[in-house]
């Protein structure tokens, strides 16, 4: 008897129906070596070919290797985490809390970064499954549908952080980004600011940045300002981008008297631009950040910002992951609270 059988799509499989790497390569129309490179995160493969391989793997339900399946038949005590970046410590506190609590629970953590690229996140999810992780911690709710579907089919639990919306995951721990944006809008309006602008993070593929922006604009509209009158610039979370965005805002007329930045990193760049161009903070313009990173206290003047309970978030995510099947009740959601930290970078609107 043959050890292989041919499926209706022309691929060959073992009698047990296990999908192998060569099945993926055949479906994608490429070599086994190319399929292997794509599924192991090698960025040298062309985009079109990479997409064909990932699509084929998703369609066939490919799990990277038999050893990973064997590991998951027991308990690996392995958790994966895919975070957008390790730059500027934006997610470092969350990861620190997650790792510290997992270690106390006898579990281990594997960390990958996606650089805010949902395609890259999809590839990394497959790599983590191949390493035998039982659960994956993701940031936010916006992910490629193929990623969440693949993880669900592989039996890997998905915990969303920086959000209190479960959406396609199994559990969520975080905060209401929209409410945080509205809080800043109300604060600036209480200081009598009317010419207000925002330097937001890139909102495509980033539900957190989008909700902060939308909540901020909704809050301003509720206070009587038109969102159409609010200048919004999107920029990746880099200090130099904050500098360039602030330069653009300060060249508008009439220029804003208050600027909300979607992260402390962008706000640090905005402060740097003002300090080097004789623009007084907060006498000429107030600047608000987001996250309450260490840099918020180091810039001059120190930043008014939104404190995010990042370490608590990681700790709660770990506790969710440690629950036994009998302790899990449908979709777990744990909402944390942000709070406004007022420092020297904000003040009343200029007379």
């Amino acid at each position: 008897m043959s050890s292989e059988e041919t499926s209706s799509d022309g691929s060959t499989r073992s009698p047990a129906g296990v999908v192998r790497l060569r099945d993926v390569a055949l479906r994608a129309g490429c070599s086994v070596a190319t399929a292997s490179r794509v599924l192991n995160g090698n960025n040298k493969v062309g985009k079109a070919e990479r997409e064909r391989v990932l699509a084929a793997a998703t369609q066939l339900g490919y799990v990277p290797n038999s050893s990973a399946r064997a590991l998951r038949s027991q308990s690996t005590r392995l958790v994966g985490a895919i975070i957008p970046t390790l730059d500027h410590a934006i997610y470092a506190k969350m990861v620190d809390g997650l790792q510290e609590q997992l270690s106390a629970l006898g579990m281990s953590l594997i960390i990958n970064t996606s650089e805010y690229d949902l395609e890259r996140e999809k590839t990394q999810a497959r790599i983590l499954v191949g390493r035998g992780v039982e659960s994956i911690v993701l940031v936010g709710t916006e992910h490629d549908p193929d990623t969440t579907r693949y993880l669900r089919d592989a039996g890997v639990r998905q915990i969303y952080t920086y959000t209190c919306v479960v959406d396609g995951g199994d559990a969520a721990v975080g905060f209401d980004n929209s409410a945080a944006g509205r809080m800043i809008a109300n604060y600036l309006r209480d200081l009598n600011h009317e010419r207000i602008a925002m330097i937001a993070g890139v909102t495509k593929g980033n539900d957190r940045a989008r909700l902060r922006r939308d909540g901020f604009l909704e809050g301003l509209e509720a206070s009587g300002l038109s969102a159409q009158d609010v200048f919004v610039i999107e920029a990746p979370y880099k200090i130099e981008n904050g500098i360039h965005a602030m330069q653009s805002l300060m060249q508008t007329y009439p220029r804003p008297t208050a600027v909300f930045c979607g992260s402390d990193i962008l706000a640090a760049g905005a402060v740097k631009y003002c300090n080097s161009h004789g623009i007084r903070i907060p006498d000429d313009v107030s600047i608000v950040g987001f996250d309450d990173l260490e840099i918020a206290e180091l810039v001059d003047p120190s930043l008014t910002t939104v404190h995010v309970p990042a370490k608590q978030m990681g700790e709660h995510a770990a506790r969710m992951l440690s629950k036994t099947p009998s302790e899990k009740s449908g979709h777990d959601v744990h909402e944390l609270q942000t709070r406004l930290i007022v420092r020297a970078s904000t003040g009343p609107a200029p007379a």
Side-chain angles (χ1 to χ4, degrees), residues 73-90:
S73 68
Q74 306 165 29
S75 176
T76 64
R77 309 289 286 172
L78 275 177
V79 174
I82 306 176
I83 60 174
T85 181
L86 287 172
D87 288 347
H88 306 300
I90 294 175

Side-chain angles (χ1 to χ4, degrees), residues 172-232:
V173 55
F175 56 92
D176 187 331
N177 284 276
S178 182
R182 290 193 297 273
M183 176 173 63
I184 296 302
N186 293 337
Y187 170 67
L188 292 177
R189 291 293 283 146
D190 286 345
L191 291 173
N192 296 318
H193 289 281
E194 295 185 356
R195 300 195 305 275
I196 299 173
M198 181 177 185
I199 304 174
V202 177
T203 57
K204 182 180 179 181
N206 187 331
D207 54 287
R208 290 88 59 210
R210 186 177 64 253
L211 288 169
R212 287 171 206 171
R213 178 203 64 193
D214 292 351
F216 182 62
L217 296 177
E218 288 166 8
L220 293 178
E221 285 206 315
S223 73
L225 290 184
S226 170
Q228 293 182 339
D229 295 331
V230 180
F231 206 119
V232 178

Side-chain angles (χ1 to χ4, degrees), residues 93-309:
K93 288 184 180 178
M94 188 274 284
V95 171
D96 182 50
L98 177 65
Q99 185 161 291
E100 188 177 286
Q101 189 66 30
L102 287 175
S103 179
L105 294 166
M107 304 168 80
S108 300
L109 179 66
I110 304 174
I111 303 169
N112 282 4
T113 59
S114 66
E115 299 303 323
Y116 297 94
D117 183 338
L118 298 186
E119 279 294 316
R120 182 171 175 177
E121 181 185 73
K122 178 163 59 176
T123 301
Q124 291 172 334
R126 292 182 175 278
I127 293 170
L128 288 171
V129 170
R131 293 180 180 177
V133 300
E134 297 177 319
S135 306
I136 288 185
V137 175
L138 299 169
V139 174
T141 61
E142 194 159 341
H143 309 283
D144 190 303
D146 287 345
T147 301
T148 54
R149 188 182 307 114
Y150 173 76
L151 293 174
R152 189 164 53 249
D153 291 346
V156 174
R157 195 159 184 250
Q158 302 167 61
I159 308 294
Y160 292 168
T161 58
Y162 282 84
T163 179
C164 49
V165 177
V166 175
D167 203 6
D170 298 294
V173 55
F175 56 92
D176 187 331
N177 284 276
S178 182
R182 290 193 297 273
M183 176 173 63
I184 296 302
N186 293 337
Y187 170 67
L188 292 177
R189 291 293 283 146
D190 286 345
L191 291 173
N192 296 318
H193 289 281
E194 295 185 356
R195 300 195 305 275
I196 299 173
M198 181 177 185
I199 304 174
V202 177
T203 57
K204 182 180 179 181
N206 187 331
D207 54 287
R208 290 88 59 210
R210 186 177 64 253
L211 288 169
R212 287 171 206 171
R213 178 203 64 193
D214 292 351
F216 182 62
L217 296 177
E218 288 166 8
L220 293 178
E221 285 206 315
S223 73
L225 290 184
S226 170
Q228 293 182 339
D229 295 331
V230 180
F231 206 119
V232 178
I233 297 178
E234 293 191 8
Y237 296 137
K238 301 284 185 182
I239 289 177
E240 58 266 31
N241 294 331
I243 294 173
H244 298 319
M246 196 64 177
Q247 179 180 20
S248 296
L249 291 177
M250 292 297 100
Q251 290 174 348
T252 61
Y253 183 82
R255 68 188 188 188
T257 63
V259 177
F260 170 39
C261 299
S263 81
D264 290 341
I265 302 305
L266 293 172
V271 168
K272 183 175 176 63
Y273 175 81
C274 291
N275 286 343
S276 61
H277 287 78
I279 300 170
R280 299 170 301 165
I281 306 171
D283 295 341
D284 298 326
V285 62
S286 290
I287 297 175
V288 181
F290 199 98
D291 283 321
D292 196 21
L293 303 179
E294 189 176 61
I295 196 173
E297 293 189 90
L298 298 179
V299 297
D300 185 21
S302 58
L303 272 176
T304 292
T305 187
V306 175
H307 175 77
V308 171

Side-chain angles (χ1 to χ4, degrees), residues 307-319:
H307 175 77
V308 171
K311 186 165 185 178
Q312 288 176 265
M313 201 184 311
E315 292 169 346
H316 279 289
R319 293 187 192 108

